[in-house]
Amino acid sequence: MRRCVTHKPDSLFGRGLVSVSTCILLLHTACEYAPDRDRDAQYSSEQLQAVVDEYLKDKTNILGTIVQVDVEGTEAYRAASGFTDSSRTVTIESDTKFIIGSVTKTFTAALVHQAMEKGQVQLHGPIIDYLPPDWSAILQKIEHGDEITVEHALSHRSGIPDVTNSETFMDSAYLASEVALKPLDIVRMVQQTGELEFTPGESYDYSSVNYILLGGLIEQVSGLSYRQSLQNNILERIGLENTSLVGRTYGSFDGTLAHGYTAVGDVSDDGHDVNVEWAHAAGGIISTAGDLIMFYRALASGELFDDAGTYQQMCELVAHNESYGRGLEVIDDPEIGLYYGHRGSFMGSRAILAHLPEERMTIAISHTYEGFSMSGPADLMKVVVQSIRGEAPTEHNELELEGPEILADSSNLVVNQDAPAKGEWDFAANEEWRLDRLGHLPLRMVGHIHVDDDGSLYLLDRGTAQIVVLDADGNLLRSFGGRGDGPRFAYPLDMFVTPSFVHVLDMGRSGDRIKTYDRSGNYVETSDIEGGVSPRVFIDDDSYVAVRSAPDILDRPTHELLEILSLTREDRSVLMKFPAEDKLIMEVMVPRGRYILGEEDINIFPRLIVHFDGEMIYLGRSDSYVVKKIDRPGDERLAFSLAGRERQMLPHDYAVNLAGRTEVAGTEMTGETKQQFIARFPERQAFYTKITADEQGLIYVFVPDITDFGKQEIDIFSPEGRYLYHATLELPGGLERIRPLEFRGEHLYALVKSAEGPTFLIKYEIQRPVR
C-alpha cells in the first residue's frame, strides 16, 4: 500500500528542528525482523570512529557525540567524540549517559502496551477512565476531552495542544526555574487554553502532553509511581543498569552526564538548575547508547511483552497518521530506507534510536551542543548506515548542464533607458482588510495570495497551516488543511493555484512534497518532490517550474538548473542554467549550518525571479535588470532591460539593525554570529524582487525601496518590452513592508505588515491609463 510519511518540528523535547516528508511504499510487516544478511566482516569500530570524526571535523558547535550500532542482535560498533561539558576537560565515552528527550515516549508506550496485555487498559477506551481523578476532572472540562482514547494519545491524535511550546510554559520552566512544575501542572495549562486543536481522532499533531497524560495513566492503573513502574517492568526486566528517570533537576543527577547548552537570553545554559520534573513520561529519561540498543532489541524481539505481536501493534499506522505508530515513528528515508524508532531533543541534547528492519540494524546516536546547529543525529545516522553498507555517500551535485545561461546575450534584447515613456501611473487604496482573524478563524502568518477572476481570494496562512478562501468582499467562504499528516500539512511553504487544483508545497526534513486539493478544498493526492528540487510556479494542473540544485547548500554544484517537471515525473525539460556560486538567497552563517532568512523579510539580495501568466514564463535575476519571456519549451520570445538605473546605497546601519532583529532558531543571534552576518552583508541592492503580468499583457517589475518601508515602486512595461510607466504604491499610515502582490482585473492586492505586527490585505483600484 502507498503511504506518505510526514514529520513536524517537535516541542521542547521533541524530534528535531525541521520537518521530514517522504512518500513511501511499505507493508506493516516491515516492522518485523527480516532474514539475516551478510555484512562486511572488515568493518570495525575503528572505521566507524573514522567516519564520525570526518563528519564532525567542521561542526564545532557539536560538543559531544556518541554512536553505537547493533547488527542482527549483536553489539557491533561504537564511537565517541568530544567532551561532556563546556569546560572541555572530560572526554565523552561510549558509555557516557545523556538526555534522551522524546525517546522516553517509546518507553512510556511500552509500559502502556504492557498494561493493555494485562487487561488494565483498553486501547480504544476513554483515557479519562484511566487517569487520576484530578487529571480526569481537568479533561472533562475541555470540550471533547472525554472523547480522547488511549490510542489517540499514543498516536498524537488527541487534539491536545502542546503547551510545552507556549510562552506561559517557557516563563515558568526557564525564567522562573525555581518553580517546581509537575506533570499535573502541564495538564492544568491545557485547561487554560480552553479547547483542543481538533476533534480527537480527526487529525495528527505531535504533542508531548499526550505522553504526560499516559504517564498519569500508568501511575493510576499500576498503583505505582511512573519511576517505579519503569524500574519494575522495563529496567529490571531486561537489565538496563544505566537508565533512569531524572529527578527534579539535572543537577541532582549523581554521575557523569553529557551536557548540552541552549541560549536563555544572553546566557548559554545547560539547564543544570532548571526544574524538569514535569517532563516525566514524555521526556524525562537519561540513558546510554548501549542501554537504548538493549531496550530496542527487547522491544522488537517481544522480550518486553507477553504477546510477540504487541511490538507490531506499536508500529502500526492509523487514520490521519502517516508518520507515527503507537509510540514509534515510522520513517522511510530516500537515502537509507525504512526505519522505526524515535528522536528526542531537550536541553541542548538530541538523540535518535532507530531500527532498520531489512538488515536488523539498530543505531543509537546522541549529540550535545554548545550553540545553535542545524546538524541532527539523523544526519549522522545516514552517513553511518551508508558506511556500514559499503555505500558511497549520496551524491547530490551531479547535474546535466544542458540549457542556456539565464543571462546569456539575447539577439532581440529591448534596451530601455530609465525614463518611462508615458510617465507616472497611480493606484488608489479603496479597501483594507485586517488579517489577524476572520470570524472564528485566527490567522498568524499569511504569506501567499491568489485572486480568481471573480475576485475571490485564496490565502496561505503558514502560522495555522491552512488555506483560507474569501469572497470578493472579504467574507470567509471556507478553510482547509491545518497541522498534521495526510490531507494536512507539516510546514506549508508555498501555494500554487491552477484552473482545477490548489497545490501546496509542504516542507519536510529530507524532502518536500506537493499536496493537491480541488478548488473546493477536497484532498486529492500527495506527490513526492525529488531531493534538491525547489518549485517556483505551476504552469498547468500537473507541471511546475523548479530550481534543481544539491539539497545541501554547503555542497552545491557549480551551476543550478531551472526545469519544468511533472508531478508524475514523466516529463522533464531544462529551461535555463545559472551559476550556483552567486547567492540567490541570503543565509546567516552559524557553526554547523546556515539559517535561511525569509524572502519576505529581505528585499535586497540576488534571487531568481519566476512568473507564469498562463501562457509564458518570465525569468530574471534580481541583481541584473534583464527580464526574459520564454515559452514552455524554453525558447526565448522576449528579453528587455533597463539601463541607467542607479542602485540605492544601503544606510550605513542597515546590516547592524537587521542583525539585531533577526532570530536564529527562535532566539537572537549571538554576538559572534552578528559579526559574521554584518561582515558578509553585500553592499548592493537588488533591482527588483517580483515580476508579474496582467490580462492586457502589461509586465510589472516591483522595485524595493529599503529607505522607505511605506511604499513600493513599480516599473511597467508593454507586452513588447518597452518601459511605459513608473508607479509608486503608497501605503496607509502605520503599514510597512509589502509582501506578495497580485493583479486581477481592475485591482491590485497587496499583503502588508503593520509596524505592530498584524498583516493587512489592501485592495487597490488600478487607475489604468489609456494606452
Side-chain angles (χ1 to χ4, degrees):
M1 72 189 117
R2 193 170 186 263
R3 297 266 179 204
C4 295
V5 176
T6 306
H7 301 287
K8 63 182 273 300
D10 283 348
S11 65
L12 194 60
F13 37 75
R15 297 167 302 180
L17 292 175
V18 205
S19 303
V20 176
S21 57
T22 293
C23 265
I24 66 172
L25 281 175
L26 70 89
L27 296 175
H28 286 317
T29 51
C31 189
E32 300 170 358
Y33 270 165
D36 290 358
R37 296 180 55 178
D38 292 336
R39 57 185 170 88
D40 187 351
Q42 300 302 312
Y43 201 86
S44 65
S45 292
E46 288 74 21
Q47 187 170 345
L48 174 64
Q49 185 68 56
V51 169
V52 172
D53 290 343
E54 175 66 21
Y55 175 83
L56 295 172
K57 68 179 183 182
D58 60 344
K59 298 177 174 66
T60 56
N61 268 26
I62 296 182
L63 180 60
T65 295
I66 304 166
V67 182
Q68 186 158 327
V69 182
D70 173 284
V71 181
E72 298 173 2
T74 303
E75 182 182 306
Y77 319 115
R78 290 182 168 192
S81 178
F83 303 92
T84 61
D85 59 45
S86 59
S87 69
R88 298 181 183 259
T89 57
V90 180
T91 303
I92 284 268
E93 303 292 343
S94 58
D95 59 354
T96 298
K97 294 182 180 181
F98 56 87
I99 299 165
I100 70 171
S102 280
V103 181
T104 300
K105 291 180 174 66
T106 302
F107 284 81
T108 299
L111 291 172
V112 173
H113 281 82
Q114 287 175 345
M116 286 192 287
E117 286 186 334
K118 296 173 184 176
Q120 297 172 324
V121 174
Q122 297 298 315
L123 180 64
H124 300 293
I127 197 170
I128 60 172
D129 291 349
Y130 308 110
L131 292 174
D134 46 352
W135 295 46
S136 293
I138 292 174
L139 277 191
Q140 287 174 330
K141 294 177 182 178
I142 300 173
E143 186 176 6
H144 303 296
D146 58 352
E147 300 172 23
I148 299 171
T149 68
V150 175
E151 184 185 52
H152 290 154
L154 283 168
S155 57
H156 295 289
R157 297 184 305 123
S158 68
I160 292 175
D162 197 346
V163 295
T164 64
N165 279 332
S166 69
E167 290 185 10
T168 299
F169 169 80
M170 293 294 182
D171 290 345
S172 299
Y174 289 99
L175 300 184
S177 59
E178 71 280 359
V179 176
L181 279 179
K182 297 182 182 297
L184 181 56
D185 295 318
I186 305 301
V187 182
R188 290 192 178 109
M189 289 183 186
V190 174
Q191 182 184 354
Q192 293 170 11
T193 67
E195 59 185 13
L196 303 181
E197 297 284 350
F198 49 81
T199 302
E202 78 166 12
S203 186
Y204 163 87
D205 196 11
Y206 186 95
S207 172
S208 289
V209 182
N210 287 310
Y211 276 74
I212 290 175
L213 288 174
L214 290 171
L217 175 151
I218 291 166
E219 294 188 338
Q220 179 68 12
V221 302
S222 70
L224 302 172
S225 68
Y226 177 83
R227 180 189 303 276
Q228 193 60 53
S229 187
L230 175 70
Q231 184 70 32
N232 294 353
N233 297 296
I234 294 182
L235 306 187
E236 291 182 358
R237 181 167 176 169
I238 59 175
L240 302 187
E241 298 179 353
N242 298 300
T243 302
S244 60
L245 189 70
V246 72
R248 179 176 171 182
T249 67
Y250 287 110
S252 65
F253 174 70
D254 183 17
T256 301
L257 180 68
H259 290 267
Y261 297 81
T262 55
V264 180
D266 296 328
V267 179
S268 182
D269 187 15
D270 70 348
H272 184 86
D273 298 321
V274 172
N275 169 258
V276 292
E277 188 176 0
W278 57 268
H280 202 234
I285 290 178
I286 56 178
S287 189
T288 64
D291 267 19
L292 290 183
I293 293 286
M294 289 175 62
F295 168 65
Y296 206 101
R297 190 188 302 159
L299 195 71
S301 68
E303 185 181 352
L304 276 173
F305 304 114
D306 298 329
D307 183 346
T310 299
Y311 166 69
Q312 178 68 35
Q313 295 174 14
M314 292 181 65
C315 298
E316 290 178 356
L317 303 177
V318 290
H320 302 296
N321 192 334
E322 298 170 346
S323 65
Y324 202 96
R326 300 183 178 104
L328 287 171
E329 294 180 287
V330 183
I331 302 171
D332 195 355
D333 187 273
E335 296 179 29
I336 63 172
L338 178 69
Y339 65 88
Y340 297 84
H342 217 294
R343 287 167 290 165
S345 178
F346 193 30
M347 293 294 186
S349 299
R350 297 182 211 158
I352 187 168
L353 174 62
H355 175 70
L356 288 75
E358 184 178 354
E359 48 215 323
R360 299 177 62 186
M361 183 186 299
T362 307
I363 301 176
I365 299 178
S366 172
H367 287 321
T368 56
Y369 301 84
E370 189 176 16
F372 173 71
S373 174
M374 295 182 70
S375 298
D379 301 324
L380 175 55
M381 183 181 73
K382 295 178 187 180
V383 176
V384 168
V385 170
Q386 290 171 332
S387 172
I388 293 173
R389 289 173 176 171
E391 300 172 352
T394 303
E395 294 290 340
H396 299 293
N397 58 353
E398 295 299 326
L399 296 178
E400 300 175 21
L401 294 177
E402 72 268 28
E405 291 279 357
I406 191 170
L407 293 180
D409 292 339
S410 300
S411 57
N412 58 344
L413 179 68
V414 177
V415 179
N416 296 278
Q417 297 302 311
D418 190 15
K422 297 188 176 182
E424 293 291 322
W425 185 358
D426 295 327
F427 295 87
N430 61 351
E431 293 185 56
E432 180 180 318
W433 304 333
R434 179 167 173 155
L435 295 180
D436 56 348
R437 178 171 288 273
L438 292 170
H440 69 282
L441 183 68
L443 299 178
R444 299 170 186 164
M445 196 191 315
V446 179
H448 296 273
I449 60 175
H450 167 82
V451 186
D452 266 352
D453 292 336
D454 63 0
S456 60
L457 293 102
Y458 288 75
L459 311 176
L460 170 60
D461 182 38
R462 289 184 291 184
T464 60
Q466 294 192 83
I467 305 299
V468 179
V469 186
L470 311 178
D471 65 17
D473 296 319
N475 301 307
L476 177 65
L477 296 177
R478 60 187 172 274
S479 63
F480 55 93
R483 194 80 65 190
D485 276 352
R488 296 175 180 260
F489 306 117
Y491 265 88
L493 191 63
D494 208 342
M495 175 182 67
F496 313 98
V497 182
T498 65
S500 301
F501 298 110
V502 179
H503 301 285
V504 179
L505 173 61
D506 198 14
M507 185 179 70
R509 182 181 176 83
S510 61
D512 300 341
R513 296 185 300 173
I514 294 290
K515 293 191 174 180
T516 301
Y517 304 77
D518 65 21
R519 296 293 294 272
S520 297
N522 300 307
Y523 173 72
V524 176
E525 64 180 357
T526 295
S527 305
D528 286 347
I529 297 178
E530 299 174 51
V533 170
S534 178
R536 287 299 191 268
V537 297
F538 266 73
I539 58 176
D540 58 31
D541 286 337
D542 169 72
S543 301
Y544 57 95
V545 176
V547 174
R548 180 188 296 273
S549 65
D552 182 358
I553 61 175
L554 296 175
D555 186 28
R556 296 202 291 189
T558 57
H559 281 76
E560 296 175 334
L561 294 181
L562 196 66
E563 300 175 293
I564 294 180
L565 303 171
S566 73
L567 291 178
T568 59
R569 300 190 186 179
E570 295 176 354
D571 301 312
R572 171 181 178 267
S573 58
V574 175
L575 300 176
M576 296 281 175
K577 63 180 180 180
F578 49 91
E581 61 269 18
D582 289 350
K583 291 195 300 182
L584 294 171
I585 55 176
M586 179 63 189
E587 57 263 338
V588 177
M589 296 295 296
V590 294
R592 305 201 174 208
R594 296 185 183 185
Y595 178 74
I596 310 302
L597 294 179
E599 288 188 1
E600 66 270 15
D601 297 320
I602 305 293
N603 284 326
I604 63 171
F605 304 104
R607 68 176 64 125
L608 185 68
I609 311 296
V610 183
H611 172 71
F612 179 66
D613 69 356
E615 295 182 0
M616 295 289 172
I617 302 169
Y618 296 81
L619 300 173
R621 283 188 46 139
S622 63
D623 57 339
S624 179
Y625 211 133
V626 176
V627 176
K628 292 194 175 186
K629 180 179 178 182
I630 65 174
D631 57 22
R632 286 190 57 162
D635 296 326
E636 184 179 301
R637 299 297 184 178
L638 171 69
F640 61 87
S641 68
L642 192 63
R645 172 68 56 87
E646 293 185 3
R647 299 180 182 181
Q648 300 177 48
M649 295 298 293
L650 294 175
H652 72 281
D653 58 351
Y654 184 87
V656 174
N657 292 337
L658 183 60
R661 66 174 184 264
T662 300
E663 294 184 343
V664 177
T667 60
E668 185 179 342
M669 282 193 274
T670 64
E672 180 181 358
T673 303
K674 285 182 182 179
Q675 292 176 4
Q676 294 174 352
F677 175 68
I678 295 168
R680 290 174 55 86
F681 208 82
E683 295 182 358
R684 57 184 177 182
Q685 179 183 354
F687 281 114
Y688 56 92
T689 55
K690 182 179 175 69
I691 304 168
T692 191
D694 66 12
E695 296 92 331
Q696 296 185 11
L698 292 176
I699 304 165
Y700 303 80
V701 180
F702 294 87
V703 181
D705 186 348
I706 63 168
T707 63
D708 186 353
F709 284 127
K711 68 179 181 179
Q712 168 76 62
E713 297 186 48
I714 308 173
D715 295 327
I716 304 167
F717 297 80
S718 73
E720 298 75 32
R722 295 297 181 185
Y723 186 24
L724 299 181
Y725 303 99
H726 176 268
T728 301
L729 199 66
E730 298 285 351
L731 299 181
L735 299 181
E736 61 182 28
R737 287 172 50 190
I738 293 181
R739 300 168 83 182
L741 300 98
E742 185 92 0
F743 281 95
R744 187 63 61 184
E746 298 301 316
H747 294 92
L748 180 149
Y749 301 79
L751 281 176
V752 181
K753 291 286 289 184
S754 72
E756 290 75 28
T759 298
F760 288 78
L761 178 66
I762 300 181
K763 184 178 178 181
Y764 289 88
E765 182 178 353
I766 301 175
Q767 299 175 353
R768 196 186 305 274
V770 179
R771 291 182 57 198

